[in-house]
Amino acid sequence: AQSVSQHNHHVILSEAASLELGCNYSYGGTVNLFWYVQYPGQHLQLLLKYFSGDPLVKGIKGFEAEFIKSKFSFNLRKPSVQWSDTAEYFCAVTDYNNNDMRFGAGTRLTVKP
Amino acid sequence: GAVVSQHPSWVICKSGTSVKIECRSLDFQATTMFWYRQFPKQSLMLMATSNEGSKATYEQGVEKDKFLINHASLTLSTLTVTSAHPEDSSFYICSATDWTGLNYGYTFGSGTRLTVV
Protein backbone atom coordinates (compact mmCIF):
# COMPACT_ATOMS: atom_id res chain seq x y z
CA ALA A 1 0.00 0.00 0.00
CA GLN A 2 1.04 3.56 -0.51
CA SER A 3 2.42 5.68 2.32
CA VAL A 4 3.25 9.33 2.79
CA SER A 5 5.86 11.13 4.84
CA GLN A 6 5.96 14.81 5.67
CA HIS A 7 9.31 16.00 6.87
CA ASN A 8 8.36 19.04 8.84
CA HIS A 9 6.16 18.72 11.89
CA HIS A 10 5.98 22.40 12.76
CA VAL A 11 7.05 25.33 10.64
CA ILE A 12 7.09 28.88 11.95
CA LEU A 13 7.37 31.75 9.50
CA SER A 14 6.91 35.46 9.46
CA GLU A 15 4.41 37.05 7.12
CA ALA A 16 5.66 37.46 3.56
CA ALA A 17 8.19 34.66 3.95
CA SER A 18 8.25 31.91 1.37
CA LEU A 19 6.97 28.47 2.22
CA GLU A 20 7.92 24.99 1.14
CA LEU A 21 6.53 21.93 2.83
CA GLY A 22 8.01 18.58 1.96
CA CYS A 23 6.04 15.50 1.02
CA ASN A 24 7.39 12.17 -0.14
CA TYR A 25 5.39 9.11 -0.96
CA SER A 26 6.19 5.48 -1.22
CA TYR A 27 4.54 3.49 -3.95
CA GLY A 28 5.81 1.89 -7.10
CA GLY A 29 2.86 2.57 -9.35
CA THR A 30 0.90 5.52 -10.63
CA VAL A 31 -0.44 7.75 -7.90
CA ASN A 32 -2.74 10.67 -7.40
CA LEU A 33 -1.46 13.32 -5.01
CA PHE A 34 -3.25 15.87 -2.88
CA TRP A 35 -2.61 18.65 -0.42
CA TYR A 36 -5.24 19.49 2.16
CA VAL A 37 -5.42 22.27 4.70
CA GLN A 38 -7.19 22.09 8.05
CA TYR A 39 -7.80 25.38 9.78
CA PRO A 40 -8.32 25.23 13.53
CA GLY A 41 -11.69 23.72 14.31
CA GLN A 42 -12.58 23.21 10.68
CA HIS A 43 -12.73 20.31 8.29
CA LEU A 44 -10.22 19.40 5.63
CA GLN A 45 -10.21 21.54 2.53
CA LEU A 46 -8.56 20.61 -0.73
CA LEU A 47 -5.76 22.97 -1.74
CA LEU A 48 -4.72 21.22 -4.91
CA LYS A 49 -4.40 17.84 -6.54
CA TYR A 50 -2.32 16.13 -9.17
CA PHE A 51 -3.60 13.34 -11.37
CA SER A 52 -1.54 13.68 -14.54
CA GLY A 53 -0.17 16.23 -16.98
CA ASP A 54 1.78 19.32 -15.98
CA PRO A 55 3.72 18.39 -12.82
CA LEU A 56 3.43 21.94 -11.53
CA VAL A 57 -0.02 22.26 -10.06
CA LYS A 58 -1.66 25.52 -9.10
CA GLY A 59 -4.12 25.47 -6.24
CA ILE A 60 -6.28 27.86 -4.30
CA LYS A 61 -5.05 30.70 -2.11
CA GLY A 62 -1.80 31.05 -4.03
CA PHE A 63 -0.48 27.58 -3.27
CA GLU A 64 1.26 25.38 -5.78
CA ALA A 65 2.96 22.01 -5.71
CA GLU A 66 5.41 20.25 -7.95
CA PHE A 67 5.34 16.55 -8.64
CA ILE A 68 8.83 15.17 -9.14
CA LYS A 69 8.40 11.55 -10.05
CA SER A 70 12.07 10.65 -9.79
CA LYS A 71 12.12 11.89 -6.22
CA PHE A 72 8.69 10.59 -5.26
CA SER A 73 7.98 14.06 -4.01
CA PHE A 74 5.09 16.51 -4.10
CA ASN A 75 6.23 19.57 -2.19
CA LEU A 76 3.86 22.41 -1.43
CA ARG A 77 4.97 25.99 -1.99
CA LYS A 78 3.74 29.51 -1.54
CA PRO A 79 5.85 32.56 -2.39
CA SER A 80 4.54 34.79 0.39
CA VAL A 81 2.58 33.48 3.36
CA GLN A 82 -0.03 35.37 5.31
CA TRP A 83 -1.10 35.16 8.92
CA SER A 84 -4.33 33.53 7.71
CA ASP A 85 -2.33 30.60 6.34
CA THR A 86 -1.79 29.37 9.88
CA ALA A 87 -3.18 25.84 9.79
CA GLU A 88 -2.34 22.18 9.56
CA TYR A 89 -1.32 20.92 6.12
CA PHE A 90 -1.69 17.33 5.03
CA CYS A 91 -0.23 15.62 2.01
CA ALA A 92 -2.21 12.62 0.78
CA VAL A 93 -1.84 9.97 -1.89
CA THR A 94 -4.03 7.42 -3.56
CA ASP A 95 -3.09 4.53 -5.74
CA TYR A 96 -4.41 5.30 -9.20
CA ASN A 97 -6.53 2.16 -9.15
CA ASN A 98 -7.40 2.28 -5.49
CA ASN A 99 -9.97 4.30 -3.68
CA ASP A 100 -8.45 4.80 -0.29
CA MET A 101 -6.47 7.86 0.58
CA ARG A 102 -3.43 7.80 2.85
CA PHE A 103 -2.31 10.86 4.72
CA GLY A 104 1.00 12.13 5.89
CA ALA A 105 1.44 13.07 9.53
CA GLY A 106 0.73 16.69 8.76
CA THR A 107 2.71 19.89 9.12
CA ARG A 108 1.59 22.63 11.40
CA LEU A 109 2.29 26.04 9.94
CA THR A 110 2.36 29.06 12.21
CA VAL A 111 2.66 32.44 10.54
CA LYS A 112 3.62 35.29 12.80
CA PRO A 113 2.01 38.64 11.96
CA GLY B 1 -19.54 21.93 -5.22
CA ALA B 2 -19.73 18.56 -3.55
CA VAL B 3 -20.81 18.67 0.08
CA VAL B 4 -20.61 16.00 2.75
CA SER B 5 -22.58 16.46 5.93
CA GLN B 6 -21.50 14.67 9.08
CA HIS B 7 -23.67 14.43 12.15
CA PRO B 8 -23.36 14.92 15.04
CA SER B 9 -20.44 17.31 15.20
CA TRP B 10 -19.74 16.33 18.75
CA VAL B 11 -21.09 13.75 21.17
CA ILE B 12 -20.45 12.74 24.75
CA CYS B 13 -21.47 9.28 25.83
CA LYS B 14 -21.06 7.01 28.79
CA SER B 15 -18.68 4.11 28.72
CA GLY B 16 -20.39 0.96 27.50
CA THR B 17 -22.96 2.69 25.31
CA SER B 18 -23.06 2.86 21.52
CA VAL B 19 -22.86 5.92 19.34
CA LYS B 20 -23.89 6.31 15.72
CA ILE B 21 -22.29 8.85 13.40
CA GLU B 22 -23.89 9.69 10.07
CA CYS B 23 -22.17 10.79 6.90
CA ARG B 24 -24.30 12.10 4.05
CA SER B 25 -23.38 13.27 0.58
CA LEU B 26 -25.81 16.09 -0.08
CA ASP B 27 -25.50 16.76 -3.78
CA PHE B 28 -23.81 13.76 -5.32
CA GLN B 29 -23.91 10.01 -5.20
CA ALA B 30 -21.07 8.62 -3.18
CA THR B 31 -20.22 5.17 -4.39
CA THR B 32 -17.47 4.92 -1.83
CA MET B 33 -17.14 6.44 1.60
CA PHE B 34 -14.21 6.35 3.97
CA TRP B 35 -13.96 6.63 7.70
CA TYR B 36 -10.94 8.13 9.38
CA ARG B 37 -9.87 8.65 12.93
CA GLN B 38 -7.73 11.57 13.98
CA PHE B 39 -6.03 11.76 17.34
CA PRO B 40 -5.02 15.17 18.70
CA LYS B 41 -2.18 16.70 16.73
CA GLN B 42 -1.88 13.62 14.58
CA SER B 43 -2.80 12.71 11.05
CA LEU B 44 -5.89 10.99 9.78
CA MET B 45 -5.77 7.24 9.99
CA LEU B 46 -7.96 5.31 7.60
CA MET B 47 -10.25 2.97 9.48
CA ALA B 48 -12.37 1.49 6.74
CA THR B 49 -13.62 1.84 3.21
CA SER B 50 -17.26 1.24 2.45
CA ASN B 51 -18.85 0.72 -0.92
CA GLU B 52 -22.58 1.11 -1.29
CA GLY B 53 -24.34 -2.18 -0.82
CA SER B 54 -21.22 -4.07 0.21
CA LYS B 55 -19.50 -4.93 3.44
CA ALA B 56 -16.90 -2.43 4.55
CA THR B 57 -13.23 -3.19 4.20
CA TYR B 58 -11.41 -2.54 7.44
CA GLU B 59 -7.79 -1.58 7.84
CA GLN B 60 -5.53 -3.82 9.82
CA GLY B 61 -5.95 -3.31 13.54
CA VAL B 62 -9.46 -1.88 13.32
CA GLU B 63 -12.05 -4.01 15.06
CA LYS B 64 -14.96 -4.48 12.70
CA ASP B 65 -17.24 -5.66 15.48
CA LYS B 66 -16.57 -2.51 17.42
CA PHE B 67 -16.78 -0.05 14.58
CA LEU B 68 -19.83 -1.05 12.60
CA ILE B 69 -20.11 0.58 9.20
CA ASN B 70 -23.21 0.57 7.07
CA HIS B 71 -23.45 2.05 3.59
CA ALA B 72 -26.98 1.19 2.58
CA SER B 73 -27.50 3.97 0.07
CA LEU B 74 -25.47 6.12 -2.29
CA THR B 75 -25.85 9.11 -0.02
CA LEU B 76 -25.53 7.72 3.48
CA SER B 77 -22.95 5.83 5.47
CA THR B 78 -23.02 5.32 9.21
CA LEU B 79 -20.34 4.45 11.72
CA THR B 80 -21.49 2.95 14.99
CA VAL B 81 -19.03 2.76 17.84
CA THR B 82 -20.30 -0.09 19.96
CA SER B 83 -19.64 -0.47 23.67
CA ALA B 84 -17.59 2.68 23.65
CA HIS B 85 -14.67 3.11 26.02
CA PRO B 86 -12.65 6.19 26.91
CA GLU B 87 -9.87 5.10 24.56
CA ASP B 88 -12.36 5.42 21.70
CA SER B 89 -12.52 9.14 22.32
CA SER B 90 -11.27 10.75 19.15
CA PHE B 91 -12.17 12.82 16.13
CA TYR B 92 -13.90 10.77 13.45
CA ILE B 93 -14.03 12.04 9.89
CA CYS B 94 -15.78 10.65 6.87
CA SER B 95 -15.10 11.35 3.24
CA ALA B 96 -16.91 10.43 0.09
CA THR B 97 -15.84 10.02 -3.49
CA ASP B 98 -17.71 11.21 -6.50
CA TRP B 99 -16.40 9.11 -9.35
CA THR B 100 -17.42 11.13 -12.36
CA GLY B 101 -14.89 10.43 -15.05
CA LEU B 102 -11.70 12.34 -14.51
CA ASN B 103 -13.26 14.84 -12.16
CA TYR B 104 -13.46 12.62 -9.17
CA GLY B 105 -12.47 13.96 -5.86
CA TYR B 106 -12.67 13.35 -2.18
CA THR B 107 -14.98 15.48 -0.11
CA PHE B 108 -14.64 15.45 3.65
CA GLY B 109 -17.21 15.86 6.34
CA SER B 110 -16.63 18.31 9.15
CA GLY B 111 -15.90 15.53 11.61
CA THR B 112 -17.39 14.24 14.85
CA ARG B 113 -15.66 14.65 18.16
CA LEU B 114 -16.51 11.71 20.36
CA THR B 115 -15.83 11.85 24.07
CA VAL B 116 -16.47 8.75 26.12
CA VAL B 117 -16.71 9.31 29.86
Side-chain angles (χ1 to χ4, degrees):
Chain A
Q2 58 276 18
S3 65
V4 184
S5 63
Q6 290 182 242
H7 319 302
N8 317 101
H9 296 294
H10 190 188
V11 173
I12 303 173
L13 296 173
S14 298
E15 276 195 313
S18 63
L19 169 73
E20 180 159 3
L21 301 181
C23 172
N24 285 91
Y25 67 92
S26 173
Y27 185 69
T30 302
V31 295
N32 300 318
L33 296 154
F34 306 78
W35 273 99
Y36 286 89
V37 60
Q38 187 176 32
Y39 297 103
Q42 296 188 28
H43 63 279
L44 287 167
Q45 299 177 39
L46 180 67
L47 277 178
L48 47 81
K49 60 189 176 187
Y50 172 80
F51 293 159
S52 64
D54 188 343
L56 185 61
V57 181
K58 302 284 187 182
I60 61 171
K61 307 186 184 217
F63 287 91
E64 66 177 32
E66 184 175 13
F67 171 52
I68 303 179
K69 189 175 181 179
S70 61
K71 295 184 178 180
F72 297 89
S73 70
F74 190 56
N75 292 354
L76 180 71
R77 300 195 291 249
K78 185 170 184 178
S80 177
V81 295
Q82 300 173 318
W83 176 78
S84 57
D85 292 325
T86 295
E88 190 89 18
Y89 292 81
F90 294 96
C91 182
V93 61
T94 66
D95 175 333
Y96 185 79
N97 294 315
N98 204 343
N99 286 355
D100 65 314
M101 178 175 283
R102 306 287 170 158
F103 287 83
T107 297
R108 181 186 301 178
L109 172 65
T110 301
V111 180
K112 295 180 178 179
Chain B
V3 177
V4 171
S5 173
Q6 192 171 336
H7 178 81
S9 55
W10 60 271
V11 58
I12 302 173
C13 71
K14 290 184 177 180
S15 185
T17 62
S18 296
V19 174
K20 179 184 284 188
I21 302 170
E22 292 188 348
C23 180
R24 293 181 183 272
S25 58
L26 299 186
D27 50 3
F28 66 99
Q29 294 185 327
T31 53
T32 306
M33 287 186 172
F34 308 93
W35 288 96
Y36 294 86
R37 185 171 179 176
Q38 185 180 28
F39 290 102
K41 300 182 181 181
Q42 294 188 29
S43 187
L44 285 76
M45 301 300 296
L46 180 65
M47 298 175 66
T49 302
S50 73
N51 292 297
E52 183 265 338
S54 303
K55 288 184 178 180
T57 302
Y58 290 81
E59 294 299 303
Q60 191 173 7
V62 178
E63 300 176 59
K64 61 181 181 181
D65 294 330
K66 181 169 187 61
F67 298 99
L68 300 178
I69 292 172
N70 183 278
H71 191 169
S73 77
L74 285 171
T75 59
L76 174 65
S77 176
T78 60
L79 167 68
T80 301
V81 183
T82 62
S83 187
H85 292 288
E87 57 265 31
D88 298 325
S89 298
S90 189
F91 194 57
Y92 294 87
I93 304 172
C94 71
S95 75
T97 59
D98 170 17
W99 298 98
T100 54
L102 294 177
N103 295 321
Y104 60 83
Y106 296 77
T107 304
F108 286 82
S110 55
T112 297
R113 184 161 304 283
L114 170 64
T115 302
V116 184
V117 298

Coordinates of all heavy atoms in Angstrom, one line a residue, chain A residues 6 32 34 36 38 41-44 46 49 51 88 90 94 96 98-106 108, chain B residues 32 34 36 38 41-44 46 49 51 59 91 93 97 99 102-111:
Chain A
Q6 N 5.8 13.4 5.7 CA 6.0 14.8 5.7 C 7.1 15.1 6.6 O 7.1 14.7 7.8 CB 4.7 15.5 6.1 CG 3.6 15.4 5.1 CD 2.3 16.1 5.5 OE1 1.3 15.5 5.6 NE2 2.4 17.4 5.6
N32 N -2.1 9.4 -7.4 CA -2.7 10.7 -7.4 C -2.3 11.3 -6.1 O -2.3 10.7 -5.1 CB -4.3 10.5 -7.5 CG -4.7 9.8 -8.7 OD1 -4.2 10.1 -9.8 ND2 -5.7 9.0 -8.6
F34 N -2.4 14.8 -3.4 CA -3.2 15.9 -2.9 C -2.6 16.6 -1.7 O -1.7 16.1 -1.0 CB -4.5 15.3 -2.3 CG -5.3 14.4 -3.2 CD1 -4.9 13.1 -3.4 CD2 -6.4 14.8 -3.9 CE1 -5.6 12.2 -4.3 CE2 -7.1 14.0 -4.8 CZ -6.7 12.7 -4.9
Y36 N -4.1 19.0 1.5 CA -5.2 19.5 2.2 C -4.8 20.4 3.3 O -3.7 20.3 3.8 CB -6.0 18.3 2.8 CG -6.8 17.5 1.8 CD1 -6.3 16.4 1.2 CD2 -8.2 17.8 1.5 CE1 -7.0 15.6 0.3 CE2 -8.9 17.1 0.7 CZ -8.3 16.0 0.1 OH -9.1 15.2 -0.8
Q38 N -6.2 22.2 7.0 CA -7.2 22.1 8.0 C -7.0 23.3 9.0 O -6.0 23.3 9.7 CB -7.1 20.8 8.8 CG -8.1 20.5 9.8 CD -8.0 19.2 10.5 OE1 -6.9 18.6 10.7 NE2 -9.2 18.6 10.8
G41 N -10.3 24.0 14.1 CA -11.7 23.7 14.3 C -12.5 23.5 13.1 O -13.7 23.4 13.1
Q42 N -11.8 23.4 11.9 CA -12.6 23.2 10.7 C -12.2 21.9 10.0 O -11.3 21.2 10.4 CB -12.3 24.4 9.7 CG -12.8 25.7 10.2 CD -12.6 26.8 9.2 OE1 -12.7 26.5 8.0 NE2 -12.5 28.0 9.6
H43 N -13.0 21.6 9.0 CA -12.7 20.3 8.3 C -11.7 20.5 7.2 O -11.2 21.6 6.9 CB -14.0 19.8 7.7 CG -14.6 20.7 6.6 ND1 -15.4 21.8 6.9 CD2 -14.5 20.6 5.3 CE1 -15.7 22.4 5.8 NE2 -15.2 21.7 4.8
L44 N -11.2 19.4 6.7 CA -10.2 19.4 5.6 C -10.7 20.1 4.4 O -11.9 19.9 3.9 CB -9.8 18.0 5.3 CG -9.0 17.2 6.3 CD1 -8.9 15.8 5.9 CD2 -7.6 17.8 6.3
L46 N -9.5 20.9 0.3 CA -8.6 20.6 -0.7 C -7.9 21.9 -1.2 O -8.5 22.9 -1.6 CB -9.3 19.9 -1.9 CG -8.4 19.5 -3.1 CD1 -7.4 18.4 -2.7 CD2 -9.3 19.0 -4.2
K49 N -4.5 19.3 -6.3 CA -4.4 17.8 -6.5 C -3.7 17.6 -7.9 O -3.7 18.5 -8.7 CB -5.8 17.2 -6.6 CG -6.7 17.7 -7.7 CD -8.1 17.2 -7.5 CE -9.0 17.8 -8.5 NZ -10.4 17.4 -8.3
F51 N -3.2 14.6 -10.8 CA -3.6 13.3 -11.4 C -2.7 13.0 -12.5 O -2.1 11.9 -12.6 CB -5.0 13.3 -11.9 CG -6.1 13.5 -10.8 CD1 -7.4 13.9 -11.1 CD2 -5.8 13.2 -9.5 CE1 -8.3 14.1 -10.1 CE2 -6.8 13.3 -8.5 CZ -8.0 13.8 -8.8
E88 N -3.0 23.5 9.7 CA -2.3 22.2 9.6 C -2.5 21.8 8.1 O -3.5 21.9 7.5 CB -3.0 21.1 10.4 CG -2.3 19.8 10.6 CD -1.3 19.8 11.7 OE1 -1.4 20.6 12.6 OE2 -0.4 18.9 11.7
F90 N -1.8 18.8 5.2 CA -1.7 17.3 5.0 C -1.5 17.0 3.6 O -2.2 17.5 2.7 CB -2.9 16.6 5.5 CG -3.2 16.7 7.0 CD1 -4.1 17.6 7.5 CD2 -2.6 15.8 7.8 CE1 -4.3 17.7 8.8 CE2 -2.8 15.9 9.2 CZ -3.7 16.8 9.7
T94 N -3.2 8.6 -3.3 CA -4.0 7.4 -3.6 C -3.3 6.7 -4.7 O -2.7 7.3 -5.6 CB -5.5 7.8 -4.0 OG1 -5.4 8.4 -5.3 CG2 -6.2 8.6 -3.0
Y96 N -3.5 4.9 -8.1 CA -4.4 5.3 -9.2 C -5.6 4.4 -9.3 O -6.7 4.8 -9.7 CB -3.6 5.3 -10.5 CG -4.4 5.7 -11.7 CD1 -4.5 7.1 -11.9 CD2 -4.9 4.8 -12.6 CE1 -5.2 7.5 -13.0 CE2 -5.6 5.3 -13.7 CZ -5.8 6.6 -13.9 OH -6.5 7.1 -15.0
N98 N -6.8 2.6 -6.8 CA -7.4 2.3 -5.5 C -8.2 3.5 -5.0 O -8.0 4.6 -5.4 CB -6.3 2.0 -4.5 CG -6.8 1.1 -3.3 OD1 -7.9 1.0 -3.1 ND2 -5.8 0.5 -2.6
N99 N -9.1 3.2 -4.2 CA -10.0 4.3 -3.7 C -9.5 5.0 -2.4 O -9.8 6.1 -2.2 CB -11.4 3.8 -3.4 CG -12.1 3.5 -4.7 OD1 -11.6 3.8 -5.8 ND2 -13.3 2.9 -4.6
D100 N -8.7 4.2 -1.6 CA -8.4 4.8 -0.3 C -7.3 5.8 -0.3 O -6.4 5.7 -1.1 CB -8.1 3.7 0.7 CG -6.9 2.9 0.4 OD1 -6.7 2.6 -0.8 OD2 -6.1 2.7 1.3
M101 N -7.4 6.8 0.5 CA -6.5 7.9 0.6 C -5.6 7.7 1.9 O -6.2 7.5 2.9 CB -7.2 9.2 0.6 CG -6.4 10.4 0.7 SD -7.3 11.9 0.5 CE -7.6 12.0 -1.3
R102 N -4.3 7.9 1.7 CA -3.4 7.8 2.8 C -2.9 9.2 3.1 O -2.5 9.9 2.2 CB -2.3 6.8 2.6 CG -2.8 5.4 2.2 CD -3.4 4.7 3.3 NE -4.0 3.4 2.8 CZ -4.2 2.4 3.6 NH1 -3.9 2.4 4.9 NH2 -4.8 1.3 3.1
F103 N -2.8 9.5 4.4 CA -2.3 10.9 4.7 C -0.9 10.8 5.4 O -0.6 9.9 6.0 CB -3.3 11.5 5.7 CG -4.6 11.9 5.1 CD1 -5.6 11.0 4.9 CD2 -4.7 13.3 4.7 CE1 -6.8 11.5 4.3 CE2 -5.9 13.7 4.1 CZ -7.0 12.8 3.9
G104 N -0.2 11.9 5.1 CA 1.0 12.1 5.9 C 0.7 12.6 7.3 O -0.5 12.8 7.6
A105 N 1.7 12.7 8.1 CA 1.4 13.1 9.5 C 1.0 14.5 9.7 O 0.5 14.9 10.8 CB 2.7 12.8 10.3
G106 N 1.2 15.3 8.7 CA 0.7 16.7 8.8 C 1.9 17.6 9.2 O 2.8 17.2 9.9
R108 N 2.2 21.5 10.9 CA 1.6 22.6 11.4 C 2.4 23.9 11.0 O 3.6 24.0 11.2 CB 1.5 22.6 12.9 CG 0.8 23.8 13.5 CD 0.9 23.8 15.0 NE 0.3 22.6 15.6 CZ 0.3 22.3 16.9 NH1 0.9 23.1 17.8 NH2 -0.2 21.2 17.3
Chain B
T32 N -18.4 5.4 -2.9 CA -17.5 4.9 -1.8 C -17.3 6.0 -0.8 O -17.2 7.2 -1.1 CB -16.1 4.6 -2.4 OG1 -16.2 3.7 -3.5 CG2 -15.2 4.0 -1.4
F34 N -15.3 6.7 3.1 CA -14.2 6.4 4.0 C -14.4 6.9 5.4 O -14.9 8.0 5.5 CB -12.9 6.9 3.4 CG -12.7 6.6 2.0 CD1 -13.1 7.5 1.0 CD2 -12.1 5.4 1.6 CE1 -12.9 7.2 -0.4 CE2 -11.9 5.1 0.2 CZ -12.3 6.0 -0.7
Y36 N -12.3 7.9 8.8 CA -10.9 8.1 9.4 C -11.1 8.5 10.9 O -12.1 8.9 11.3 CB -10.3 9.3 8.7 CG -9.9 9.1 7.2 CD1 -10.9 9.3 6.2 CD2 -8.7 8.7 6.8 CE1 -10.6 9.1 4.9 CE2 -8.3 8.5 5.5 CZ -9.3 8.7 4.5 OH -9.0 8.5 3.2
Q38 N -8.8 10.6 13.8 CA -7.7 11.6 14.0 C -7.5 11.8 15.5 O -8.4 12.4 16.1 CB -8.0 12.9 13.2 CG -6.9 13.9 13.3 CD -7.2 15.2 12.5 OE1 -8.3 15.6 12.4 NE2 -6.1 15.8 12.0
K41 N -3.5 16.3 17.3 CA -2.2 16.7 16.7 C -1.6 15.6 15.9 O -0.3 15.5 15.8 CB -1.2 17.2 17.8 CG -1.7 18.4 18.6 CD -0.7 18.9 19.6 CE -1.3 20.1 20.4 NZ -0.4 20.6 21.4
Q42 N -2.4 14.7 15.4 CA -1.9 13.6 14.6 C -2.6 13.6 13.3 O -3.6 14.4 13.1 CB -2.0 12.3 15.3 CG -1.2 12.1 16.5 CD -1.2 10.7 17.1 OE1 -1.4 9.8 16.3 NE2 -1.0 10.6 18.4
S43 N -2.2 12.8 12.4 CA -2.8 12.7 11.0 C -4.1 11.9 11.1 O -4.4 11.3 12.1 CB -1.8 12.1 10.0 OG -2.3 12.2 8.7
L44 N -4.7 11.8 9.9 CA -5.9 11.0 9.8 C -5.5 9.6 9.5 O -4.6 9.3 8.6 CB -6.7 11.5 8.6 CG -7.6 12.7 8.8 CD1 -6.7 14.0 8.8 CD2 -8.7 12.8 7.8
L46 N -6.8 6.0 8.2 CA -8.0 5.3 7.6 C -8.4 4.1 8.4 O -7.6 3.3 8.8 CB -7.6 4.9 6.2 CG -8.6 4.2 5.4 CD1 -9.8 5.1 5.0 CD2 -8.0 3.6 4.1
T49 N -13.1 1.4 4.5 CA -13.6 1.8 3.2 C -14.9 1.1 3.0 O -15.0 -0.1 3.1 CB -12.7 1.5 2.1 OG1 -11.4 2.1 2.3 CG2 -13.2 2.0 0.7
N51 N -18.2 0.6 0.4 CA -18.9 0.7 -0.9 C -20.3 0.4 -0.8 O -20.7 -0.5 0.0 CB -18.3 -0.2 -1.9 CG -16.8 0.1 -2.3 OD1 -16.5 1.2 -2.8 ND2 -15.9 -0.8 -2.0
E59 N -9.3 -1.6 7.8 CA -7.8 -1.6 7.8 C -7.3 -2.5 9.0 O -8.0 -2.8 9.9 CB -7.3 -0.2 8.1 CG -7.6 0.8 6.9 CD -6.9 0.3 5.6 OE1 -5.7 0.1 5.6 OE2 -7.7 0.1 4.6
F91 N -11.5 12.0 17.2 CA -12.2 12.8 16.1 C -12.4 11.9 14.9 O -11.4 11.4 14.4 CB -11.3 14.0 15.8 CG -12.0 15.1 15.0 CD1 -13.2 15.7 15.5 CD2 -11.5 15.5 13.8 CE1 -13.9 16.7 14.7 CE2 -12.2 16.5 13.0 CZ -13.4 17.1 13.5
I93 N -13.8 11.3 11.1 CA -14.0 12.0 9.9 C -14.4 11.1 8.8 O -13.8 10.0 8.6 CB -12.8 12.9 9.5 CG1 -12.3 13.8 10.6 CG2 -13.1 13.7 8.2 CD1 -11.0 14.5 10.3
T97 N -16.3 9.8 -2.1 CA -15.8 10.0 -3.5 C -17.0 10.1 -4.5 O -18.0 9.4 -4.4 CB -14.9 8.9 -3.9 OG1 -15.6 7.7 -3.9 CG2 -13.7 8.8 -3.1
W99 N -17.1 9.6 -8.2 CA -16.4 9.1 -9.4 C -17.1 9.5 -10.6 O -17.9 8.8 -11.2 CB -16.2 7.6 -9.3 CG -15.5 7.2 -8.1 CD1 -16.0 6.7 -6.9 CD2 -14.1 7.2 -7.9 NE1 -15.0 6.5 -6.0 CE2 -13.8 6.7 -6.6 CE3 -13.0 7.6 -8.7 CZ2 -12.5 6.6 -6.1 CZ3 -11.7 7.4 -8.2 CH2 -11.5 7.0 -7.0
L102 N -13.0 11.9 -15.0 CA -11.7 12.3 -14.5 C -11.9 13.4 -13.4 O -10.9 13.9 -12.9 CB -10.9 12.9 -15.7 CG -10.4 11.9 -16.7 CD1 -9.7 12.6 -17.8 CD2 -9.5 10.8 -16.1
N103 N -13.1 13.7 -13.1 CA -13.3 14.8 -12.2 C -13.5 14.4 -10.8 O -14.1 15.1 -9.9 CB -14.4 15.7 -12.6 CG -14.1 16.4 -13.9 OD1 -13.0 16.9 -14.1 ND2 -15.1 16.5 -14.8
Y104 N -13.1 13.1 -10.5 CA -13.5 12.6 -9.2 C -12.6 13.3 -8.1 O -11.6 13.8 -8.3 CB -13.3 11.1 -9.1 CG -11.8 10.6 -9.4 CD1 -10.9 10.6 -8.4 CD2 -11.5 10.1 -10.6 CE1 -9.6 10.2 -8.6 CE2 -10.2 9.7 -10.9 CZ -9.3 9.7 -9.9 OH -8.0 9.2 -10.1
G105 N -13.2 13.3 -7.0 CA -12.5 14.0 -5.9 C -12.9 13.4 -4.6 O -13.8 12.5 -4.5
Y106 N -12.3 13.8 -3.5 CA -12.7 13.4 -2.2 C -13.2 14.5 -1.4 O -12.5 15.5 -1.3 CB -11.4 12.8 -1.5 CG -10.9 11.6 -2.2 CD1 -10.1 11.6 -3.3 CD2 -11.1 10.3 -1.6 CE1 -9.6 10.5 -3.9 CE2 -10.6 9.2 -2.2 CZ -9.8 9.3 -3.4 OH -9.3 8.2 -4.0
T107 N -14.4 14.4 -0.9 CA -15.0 15.5 -0.1 C -15.1 15.0 1.3 O -15.6 13.9 1.6 CB -16.4 15.9 -0.7 OG1 -16.2 16.2 -2.0 CG2 -16.9 17.0 0.1
F108 N -14.7 15.8 2.2 CA -14.6 15.5 3.6 C -15.8 16.1 4.4 O -16.2 17.2 4.2 CB -13.3 15.9 4.3 CG -12.2 15.0 3.8 CD1 -11.5 15.3 2.7 CD2 -11.7 14.0 4.6 CE1 -10.5 14.5 2.2 CE2 -10.7 13.2 4.2 CZ -10.0 13.4 3.0
G109 N -16.3 15.3 5.4 CA -17.2 15.9 6.3 C -16.5 16.7 7.4 O -15.2 16.7 7.4
S110 N -17.2 17.4 8.2 CA -16.6 18.3 9.2 C -16.2 17.6 10.4 O -15.6 18.2 11.3 CB -17.6 19.4 9.5 OG -18.8 18.8 10.0
G111 N -16.4 16.3 10.5 CA -15.9 15.5 11.6 C -16.8 15.5 12.8 O -17.7 16.3 13.0

